[in-house]
Every structure is written in C-alpha cells, then in structure tokens.
C-alpha cells in the first residue's frame, strides 16, 4: 500500500487540517444538535486520524485509496455512535472503530475464503464477548460465551481461528537498535537445516563414487521409494541381483558418508 502518496482518493494529505481539542468539542456539540455542516467539518478535521491508522496495515498489499475509504467509513460510524457524556477523547473511541472496519474489510476480501456460516458464528462470539465484558467488567471464558450462544466451545474456537488475519513472514515483531526481527526469523525449517544440507553434500559425494547402475538402483530405491522387485523390472535384472548390488553400493558409500 503506497502511503507515500500525497493524494489519496482525491484528498491532498499534505494539506489535511489539524483540529484542536476545543474545536473538536465545539463541533461534536453542534453535530449532536443535527448540524450537518459541523459534521462535514469534523470528518475533514479527522482524516489525519484515518491516515495514521491505515499506516498500520501498509504491508497487506491493499491499495491505499481503498483502505482510506474503508477507514473513512469507520470514522463516520464512530462519529454517529460517539457519546460525549462518557468523558473520553473522540480519537480514543474512533481508532478501534476504524481498525475494526479495516479488519472486517481485509477478512471479507481475504484470498483465504471462510464460509459465511463460520464467519457469522465468529461475529456472534465477538459480539457476545463484548456484551459479557461490559456487563461483568472481566474477560469472559470461551466456554461461557459458547454456553450463552448455545453452541459447542470447539465450534466457537474454530470460528474465531477462521477469521484470524494471516500474518506475513516479513511482519516485524521486534526492533533492536534499528534492526527489525521478522516472523520468518523465528520460524525453524528443519528440512533446510545446516546438518541436512551437509548430509546432502556427503550423500552426493558418496553417490559419485558408485558406478552408473549402482547409483541408479539407490536413487530408485531411496529417492523414488520403489521396491527391489520394481527396480529389478525397470533395470532388467533379477531381484536377487538388485539386493546384492544395493548392499555393495551402500557398503561403498559408508566409506565416504
């Protein structure tokens, strides 16, 4: 997502206005009274907030214009649902709303498709979690949420896992003196370990010491997974000969591997 663009969706981001706390409060009060002009001004005054939030999703490969539009939808929802009587800053309330809208967009447009029923179950679980959290002021257990919804706990866990966003191997998880550590740095690939790499070189050297027929027998037996009978039929010799040649070849290779 090219967030270095100056213009996104026809908006010159370098000229976006800054809004003071006093001005924000004034406009919110006017919006509450139904002033549409104040609403438009308030939206424009908070576009920098949308821009700052979508930067968190810059590595998802989505167009900046699309993400900005989705973020604006989240901003508008936050304005429509914000209650000034709670005594919190608008940005504190709006940021999670914008993030939620962006995450829904990414989930719904994910190349890893999740069935509608599973996604609906996940959303019900999240809604119930939010409701129970507000009522009891503590994080509810999955078993409690599942019971309240009348579903199995395993079904709730499966649904939540299904809507988790995939993480890029190049996602930075830690910065140390400016050097980022990425997810891929924490993943172990046993198939490509140094020991296996050295073993592969040793095996290749051992095979090079064999005659062409012995080398072919070992490759058919241990690389292609064929039986001695299948190898015998392919080469045109008896199974007993294959067995004898195989043992001799392995004995020779042990001197070099």
């Amino acid at each position: 997502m090219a967030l270095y663009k100056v213009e996104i969706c026809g908006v010159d981001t370098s000229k976006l206005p800054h809004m003071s706390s006093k001005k924000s409060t004034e406009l919110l009060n006017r919006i509450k009274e139904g002033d549409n002009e104040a609403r438009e001004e308030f939206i424009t005054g908070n576009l920098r907030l949308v821009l700052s939030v979508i930067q968190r999703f810059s590595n998802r490969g989505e167009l900046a214009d699309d993400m900005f539009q989705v973020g604006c939808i989240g901003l508008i929802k936050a304005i429509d649902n914000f209650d000034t009587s709670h005594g919190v800053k608008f940005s504190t309330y709006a940021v999670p709303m914008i993030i939620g809208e962006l995450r829904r967009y990414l989930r719904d447009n994910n190349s890893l498709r999740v069935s509608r029923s599973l996604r609906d179950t996940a959303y019900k679980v999240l809604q119930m979690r939010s409701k129970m959290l507000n009522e009891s002021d503590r994080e509810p257990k999955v078993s409690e949420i599942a019971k309240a919804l009348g579903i199995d706990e395993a079904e709730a866990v499966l649904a939540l896992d299904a809507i988790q966003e995939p993480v890029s191997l190049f996602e930075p998880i830690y910065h140390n003196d400016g050097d980022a550590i990425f997810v891929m740095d924490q993943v172990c690939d046993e198939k490509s370990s140094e020991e296996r790499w050295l073993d592969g070189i040793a095996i290749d050297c051992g095979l090079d010491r064999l005659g062409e027929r012995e080398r072919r027998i070992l490759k058919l037996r241990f690389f292609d997974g064929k039986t001695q009978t299948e190898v015998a039929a392919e080469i045109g010799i008896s199974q007993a000969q294959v067995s004898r040649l195989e043992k001799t070849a392995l004995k020779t290779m042990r001197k070099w591997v």
Side-chain angles (χ1 to χ4, degrees):
M1 181 166 61
L3 286 177
Y4 54 80
K5 292 173 58 178
V6 174
E7 186 173 294
I8 301 180
C9 297
V11 176
D12 188 344
T13 57
S14 66
K15 296 180 180 179
L16 288 176
H18 292 274
M19 181 172 291
S20 66
S21 178
K22 181 179 178 181
K23 183 66 174 179
S24 177
T25 302
E26 176 193 332
L27 290 175
L28 283 169
N29 289 330
R30 287 169 56 190
I31 292 171
K32 193 174 181 180
E33 295 172 356
D35 190 331
N36 288 326
E37 289 186 7
R39 188 171 184 271
E40 291 299 322
E41 185 179 349
F42 192 76
I43 291 172
T44 303
N46 281 279
L47 290 180
R48 282 187 177 275
L49 182 62
V50 174
L51 194 63
S52 67
V53 173
I54 67 173
Q55 288 175 347
R56 306 184 188 187
F57 300 85
S58 60
N59 61 341
R60 303 305 174 90
E62 298 288 338
L63 293 174
D65 295 57
D66 293 342
M67 296 296 281
F68 188 73
Q69 290 182 56
V70 175
C72 287
I73 293 173
L75 172 64
I76 292 169
K77 287 184 177 180
I79 293 171
D80 292 342
N81 292 280
F82 184 63
D83 189 344
T84 56
S85 65
H86 289 163
V88 298
K89 290 177 63 177
F90 174 75
S91 59
T92 303
Y93 178 79
V95 168
M97 291 283 285
I98 297 170
I99 291 174
E101 199 67 31
L102 289 166
R103 284 178 173 167
R104 275 191 291 275
Y105 170 79
L106 291 170
R107 282 198 297 263
D108 292 343
N109 290 275
N110 200 320
S111 57
L112 301 175
R113 295 297 178 187
V114 178
S115 70
R116 171 64 63 180
S117 60
L118 198 59
R119 194 160 58 238
D120 288 345
T121 299
Y123 292 155
K124 289 177 182 177
V125 170
L126 292 174
Q127 289 172 353
M128 181 57 69
R129 171 193 170 274
S130 180
K131 178 182 177 183
M132 296 176 74
L133 182 62
N134 290 333
E135 291 176 349
S136 62
D137 200 26
R138 70 172 179 82
E139 186 67 39
K141 297 179 180 179
V142 176
S143 57
E144 295 172 333
I145 297 173
K147 184 178 180 180
L149 291 172
I151 62 176
D152 292 334
E153 183 177 349
E155 184 180 353
V157 173
L158 177 63
L160 290 174
D161 285 343
I163 64 170
Q164 291 298 311
E165 299 172 28
V167 177
S168 169
L169 288 174
F170 296 96
E171 179 87 18
I173 57 175
Y174 178 73
H175 285 78
N176 184 18
D177 296 330
D179 296 326
I181 296 177
F182 301 96
V183 171
M184 66 180 301
D185 297 326
Q186 305 297 307
V187 177
C188 175
D189 182 4
E190 296 181 355
K191 293 182 180 179
S192 301
S193 65
E194 183 177 346
E195 292 80 5
R196 286 177 177 267
W197 179 67
L198 292 173
D199 287 345
I201 293 176
I203 291 172
D204 286 340
C205 289
L207 288 171
D208 288 341
R209 302 282 179 172
L210 303 176
E212 183 179 347
R213 186 165 66 169
E214 288 82 0
R215 187 162 58 247
R216 185 181 178 192
I217 288 173
L218 292 189
K219 286 184 176 180
L220 288 171
R221 286 280 290 123
F222 299 106
F223 290 86
D224 297 343
K226 295 190 176 184
T227 65
Q228 288 184 348
T229 302
E230 291 172 330
V231 173
E234 185 167 331
I235 295 180
I237 59 178
S238 68
Q239 183 269 330
Q241 286 178 295
V242 170
S243 178
R244 185 172 61 254
L245 289 168
E246 179 184 313
K247 289 179 182 178
T248 302
L250 290 174
K251 185 177 181 181
T252 301
M253 283 192 66
R254 289 192 183 98
K255 296 178 182 179
W256 306 101
V257 179

